[in-house]
Amino acid sequence: MGIDTGGTFTDVVAFDEDSGQLVTTKTASTPDNPADGFMAGIDKVLRLLGIEAGQFGASLSAVSHGTTVATNQLLEGKVGALGFITSTGYEFLLEIARQSVPDGYGNSYFWVKPDRIVPADLVKTVAGRLDYTGAELRPFDEAGAVEVARWFKAKRITTLGVCFLHSYANPAHEERMRKVLAEVHPDAVVSISSEVLREYREYERAMTTLVDAAVKPKVASYVTAIKDRLSAFTVAAGPGSHLGHRVPFYVMKSNGGVLSADEVVHQPITTVLSGPAAGALGAALIAHHAGYSQVLTCDGGGTSTDVSVVMDGEPTLTTEGTVGAYPSKIPMIDVVTVGAGGGSIAWISPEGSLKVGPKSAGADPGPRCYGKGGVDVTVTDAHVVLGRIPPQLLGGEIRLDVEAARSGLTELAAELELTVPACAAGILEISAWNQANALRRITVKRGLDVREFTLATFGGSGSLLLCRLLDILDLKAVLVPPNPGTVSAFGLLTVDVKNDYVQTAIARQDVLDPAAVSATFASLSDQAAQALRREGFAESEHRFVRTADLRYFGQAFEVRVPVPDSAFGTETADAVALAFHDAHAGLYGYDFRTDNAQQVEWVNLRVSGIGPIRRPELSKQPAQDGDVERARIGARAVCFGNSDYLRSPLYWRPKLAPGDWIHGPAVIEEFGSTVPLHPGFTARVDDFGNLIITRADRGPGRMAASATGVSA
C-alpha cells in the first residue's frame, strides 16, 4: 500500500501482488493530526477491496508513506525557535552566508536579505578547533560547552543544531557537544552536522543541519504516531499481525528511496521532499511506458506545485536543492517547489497588485468553496466560479459551495475594479505563470530546451492549468496519467529502499591515491550494507551505486559522475575523469580535457545502498469503438479565459478508451482530478489510458494575453 499525505488530500493506492490489481482512492487530509487522515485512507481502501478488518494483518505485506509534513513546514516558514552552536569566531556564519543573490537582483543594493533560520541572538559558540584533515589544533572547551547548554536550557530553546568547523573530517568535538547537551539539557532535540551531512562547506552544512533540527520534532512525532496507530490497528485485526514484526512501514525519502519508520525519525531531513519525490518517480515510470523519455513533471497539490526533470526515464538528482527559503544539501530528486497549489490564497499587495500564494488555505479551513469557514479566496475558488471544476469533488463526496466562492471573488474583484470572471482568470493566469517559471528554472536556466520536453501533469490540481502551460512554454505535448490525483501514492510502490553516504576526500587527479579512494568507498559501502541488513535485506539482494563529485582545480562547485563497480585503480580513476570532462561539456558547453594546465580535482565520494522491491507492471488497455459519446455525462458553462462562458461538454474519463479523441472546449472529469480542455486543444487517449494533449493546429501559436481578461 502506498499512502501520500498532501496538504489537502491523502491519496491511497493498494497493489495486489498476486493479481496485479491496483485500487486507488482519496480522503481529506487532517492537518491538526495527519495520522487521522492516514488511517481514514487505509480504512477506505480496505472497504473498496472488500477486506474484512480481521484479515488486514495477513493481507498487508508493506506500507510505503510519502508525507509533505516537513515540506509544508519549511514552505510556510514555520520552523519555530531554533538554537545554533558553532565554532568560536564563526557566530555570524549564517548572516554572511554566500555572496550571491537570487536571480533577478542584478544590483544587490535592491535585494533585502531574508531573515536567517536562526536569529543572531540564538547563536552560541564553543572554543576548540580542527583543521581540514581532522587533526585537533585546539582542544574542545568542556566548560564553555556546559555554559552554552545551560544558557539554552534557561532560554527554553529545545531544538538545537551543532556545526563545528571541519567536523566532516573528524566528528569528535560535535559528538562531545551532543553528550554535554544530553547531560545538561536532556529535553533538547539535537542535530549534529557530522551525522546529517559529512561534507565540507560550513554554510551549507550548517543550514542543512538546522533544517534537520527544525523538522525533527514534527516529523518524529508524526511518524511515531502513525506507526503506533498502525501497529495497534494490525494487532486489533488479529493475532500475529503486529506491524513491528510482520508489516514493514517505510517512509519516502527525497533521494528516490524509502527508509523504515524506525530510522527516519533519526534522519528527518531526508523526507523534506518525500511526497514530491514519489510523484516524480511515479510519473517517470508511467511516461517511460508510454514512450516518453524526456519529461517534465508537474505535481499540483493543495499547498504547492512540485516540478522536476526526467531524462532517459529517470528523474535527475541534486544535492543543491532548496525548500522554500532554506537550502538543503542532501541527495534529493531535483524538485523545485513553489507555493502555487489549489489552496494558494489570492491577495492584494500594498501597491495594489494581485498576488497568488505562497500562503495556502490548506485542508482546514481550506478554500471558501469547501464550506468550512474559510474566508480567503483561493485558486480552487477561481476554478469553480469559472466552471472549470465541478461543484462536487471525489465523485460527489465533497460538495462545493459555489456561491461562497463567488461572494469572495466579488469582493476581491471590486477592490481591483475588475469583473468577477476577469478577477478569477487573473488569479489563474498568475498561478500558471508561477508554475511556468518554476518549469523554466529546471530547464532553461540549466541549459535545457523546454520545448523538447513533454509535460506530465498530476496531483489534484496539477492538470487544471495544463493548456496555459503548454502555450506559455511552447511544449510538445502534455501527458495526464490515469488517476492523476494518486500518482504520488502510486510512485511509492515503485521505489527501492535506498540509503546515501558521503565523505569529503579532496585530492587532485595527478596525486590521487587509488588505495585511499578504494578504502573510503569500502567504508561507505559497509555503512550502506549495515543499513540494508537492518532493513531486512539479505546480502545477495544488496546493490551499491558509487559516484564522485569532481571539478577543475580552482572551481567553486562540482559535477557528479558515476564510478564503475570494478576494483578502483588508476584506470578507473582515468575513466571517471573522462566522464567528468563529458559531463562538464554537457552542462557548461566546454571542457579542459586537452589542457594539461587544468587539473581535475576529486572532492566527495558517495555510495548509495539499494534494497530492491517488486514494482507494479503497467498494462495496455483495450480499444473500443472510438465513439466518445459513451463517456459524455452532460454539459456546463465554462469560462476559458475571457468574460464569456461557453457551453462545454463534460466527459467521464473512466469511460474513455485508447483511440478516443476529444476536442476543446470540453472538461474531462474523474474521481480525483479534472482536465479543462481549452478551445483549440485536443486530447487523445493512448494505449495505457493516458491523455495526450496537444494544440489542435500543432503550431507554435500562443493564446493572446488579452484573452485572459488581464494584462500579462
Side-chain angles (χ1 to χ4, degrees):
M1 190 177 294
I3 304 175
D4 177 54
T5 299
T8 305
F9 292 107
T10 295
D11 307 329
V12 187
V13 175
F15 171 53
D16 188 327
E17 294 178 287
D18 295 328
S19 67
Q21 179 189 14
L22 278 171
V23 176
T24 68
T25 191
K26 298 170 79 75
T27 188
S29 294
T30 51
D32 289 341
N33 187 357
D36 290 341
F38 181 97
M39 298 306 298
I42 288 180
D43 185 62
K44 187 175 180 180
V45 80
L46 288 176
R47 291 200 307 270
L48 291 173
L49 287 165
I51 297 176
E52 299 294 334
Q55 300 174 320
F56 177 61
S59 301
L60 190 61
S61 60
V63 175
S64 289
H65 180 41
T67 174
T68 56
V69 167
T71 312
N72 292 342
Q73 181 184 353
L74 296 173
L75 278 177
E76 296 175 11
K78 298 177 180 178
V79 297
L82 279 175
F84 180 42
I85 304 172
T86 189
S87 302
T88 297
Y90 284 79
E91 58 266 35
F92 296 111
L93 169 64
L94 301 179
E95 288 295 327
I96 296 170
R98 292 295 177 201
Q99 68 178 14
S100 58
V101 299
D103 290 344
Y105 293 93
N107 185 339
S108 61
Y109 175 82
F110 297 102
W111 178 64
V112 178
K113 183 181 289 188
D115 293 336
R116 303 294 92 186
I117 191 171
V118 178
D121 62 309
L122 294 182
V123 178
K124 289 293 178 181
T125 63
V126 176
R129 186 65 178 269
L130 306 170
D131 70 10
Y132 73 98
T133 67
E136 187 174 80
L137 300 177
R138 290 191 294 274
F140 181 69
D141 183 2
E142 295 275 347
V146 171
E147 182 180 347
V148 165
R150 288 174 177 167
W151 188 88
F152 279 114
K153 183 178 181 180
K155 290 286 186 179
R156 297 183 179 178
I157 303 298
T158 57
T159 307
L160 302 169
V162 181
C163 179
F164 292 146
L165 204 63
H166 300 307
S167 56
Y168 61 87
N170 182 353
H173 287 187
E174 286 191 351
E175 291 172 350
R176 183 57 197 149
M177 185 71 235
R178 181 169 57 184
K179 289 180 181 178
V180 170
L181 288 167
E183 294 166 1
V184 178
H185 190 9
D187 294 333
V189 174
V190 181
S191 293
I192 64 174
S193 74
S194 52
E195 288 187 353
V196 174
L197 182 69
R198 201 157 180 176
E199 288 185 42
Y200 87 133
R201 290 198 176 100
E202 64 278 5
Y203 171 68
E204 285 78 8
R205 187 156 42 90
M207 280 297 302
T208 306
T209 302
L210 288 165
V211 169
D212 182 78
V215 301
K216 186 173 286 185
K218 196 166 186 176
V219 170
S221 174
Y222 171 68
V223 171
T224 301
I226 286 184
K227 186 177 70 169
D228 290 345
R229 289 183 63 174
L230 189 53
S231 178
F233 188 59
T234 54
V235 169
S241 60
H242 190 280
L243 175 67
H245 301 288
R246 296 291 301 276
V247 184
F249 178 37
Y250 297 110
V251 178
M252 182 75 197
K253 298 171 65 178
S254 307
N255 67 353
V258 290
L259 187 66
S260 70
D262 292 329
E263 292 292 326
V264 82
V265 296
H266 304 299
Q267 306 175 40
I269 194 173
T270 62
T271 70
V272 293
L273 289 177
S274 174
L281 285 162
L285 179 65
I286 292 168
H288 181 70
H289 274 79
Y292 298 93
S293 58
Q294 293 199 165
V295 177
L296 304 177
T297 71
C298 180
D299 179 3
T303 303
S304 61
T305 293
D306 311 303
V307 299
S308 65
V309 177
V310 175
M311 301 289 287
D312 299 322
E314 294 289 337
T316 55
L317 292 171
T318 184
T319 56
E320 306 293 336
T322 61
V323 182
Y326 309 112
S328 298
K329 195 171 168 50
I330 59 168
M332 62 177 68
I333 288 179
D334 195 358
V335 174
V336 170
T337 301
V338 292
S344 295
I345 295 170
W347 53 285
I348 299 176
S349 72
E351 297 79 22
S353 301
L354 177 62
K355 305 286 186 181
V356 180
K359 290 187 177 180
S360 171
D364 189 11
R368 290 178 66 103
C369 61
Y370 279 17
K372 295 182 179 180
V375 297
D376 295 308
V377 175
T378 67
V379 170
T380 298
D381 293 314
H383 278 297
V384 74
V385 166
L386 294 179
R388 299 190 190 184
I389 60 176
Q392 66 280 325
L393 302 178
L394 304 188
E397 292 182 24
I398 298 178
R399 297 283 177 178
L400 301 182
D401 188 341
V402 180
E403 289 309 311
R406 193 184 309 278
S407 173
L409 273 161
T410 300
E411 295 175 8
L412 188 65
E415 289 189 61
L416 294 166
E417 299 182 354
L418 292 172
T419 65
V420 169
C423 181
I427 291 170
L428 301 186
E429 184 74 356
I430 293 170
S431 186
W433 278 90
N434 287 342
Q435 294 180 11
N437 287 335
L439 289 163
R440 281 179 168 147
R441 281 175 59 189
I442 60 172
T443 52
V444 177
K445 292 188 177 181
R446 299 179 187 179
L448 301 175
D449 188 343
V450 67
R451 297 168 297 180
E452 296 300 317
F453 286 82
T454 296
L455 178 67
T457 62
F458 54 97
S461 67
S463 302
L464 289 170
L465 297 170
L466 63 81
C467 289
R468 281 302 291 139
L469 292 175
L470 199 155
D471 242 359
I472 292 168
L473 298 172
D474 198 15
L475 297 164
K476 296 171 66 175
V478 178
L479 179 151
V480 185
N483 301 306
T486 57
V487 166
S488 291
F490 169 77
L492 291 164
L493 304 179
T494 71
V495 298
D496 300 317
V497 172
K498 186 177 180 182
N499 292 279
D500 298 306
Y501 298 90
V502 60
Q503 176 67 61
T504 294
I506 299 176
R508 286 196 321 223
Q509 178 86 7
D510 58 345
V511 294
L512 189 70
D513 182 356
V517 173
S518 182
T520 301
F521 273 131
S523 174
L524 296 173
S525 297
D526 184 59
Q527 295 177 55
Q530 291 180 38
L532 290 174
R533 284 193 291 269
R534 288 196 300 269
E535 300 283 4
F537 289 93
E539 298 283 344
S540 59
E541 297 178 296
H542 294 186
R543 291 197 297 112
F544 302 101
V545 175
R546 303 191 304 187
T547 56
D549 299 341
L550 278 67
R551 66 188 179 193
Y552 292 116
F553 182 75
Q555 284 185 326
F557 296 98
E558 302 81 43
V559 176
R560 185 169 307 163
V561 291
V563 177
D565 292 334
S566 57
F568 194 91
T570 303
E571 290 185 2
T572 305
D574 290 341
V576 173
L578 183 60
F580 163 70
H581 291 307
D582 293 338
H584 194 281
L587 281 170
Y588 303 112
Y590 71 94
D591 64 81
F592 293 122
R593 74 184 73 209
T594 59
D595 186 350
N596 294 329
Q598 301 290 341
Q599 290 289 327
V600 172
E601 186 174 46
W602 293 58
V603 180
N604 299 311
L605 306 179
R606 302 177 184 273
V607 170
S608 296
I610 299 171
I613 56 94
R614 180 185 170 189
R615 291 173 171 80
E617 294 184 3
L618 300 178
S619 56
K620 293 184 177 181
Q621 300 178 7
Q624 295 189 26
D625 53 15
D627 184 3
V628 297
E629 286 302 307
R630 85 178 89 83
R632 185 162 176 168
I633 56 174
R636 184 170 63 240
V638 183
C639 179
F640 288 101
N642 51 32
S643 298
D644 297 326
Y645 283 77
L646 303 176
R647 192 71 177 170
S648 305
L650 309 177
Y651 296 93
W652 186 242
R653 185 173 177 183
K655 293 184 179 180
L656 295 174
D660 288 347
W661 288 78
I662 294 176
H663 303 280
V667 178
I668 304 170
E669 300 177 359
E670 57 184 302
F671 176 77
S673 185
T674 302
V675 177
L677 194 63
H678 291 230
F681 290 82
T682 300
R684 171 179 62 87
V685 184
D686 75 359
D687 291 340
F688 294 92
N690 302 300
L691 294 176
I692 309 299
I693 296 168
T694 57
R695 282 186 295 270
D697 59 4
R698 296 183 180 272
R702 297 178 175 83
M703 297 164 64
S706 60
T708 66
V710 295
S711 170

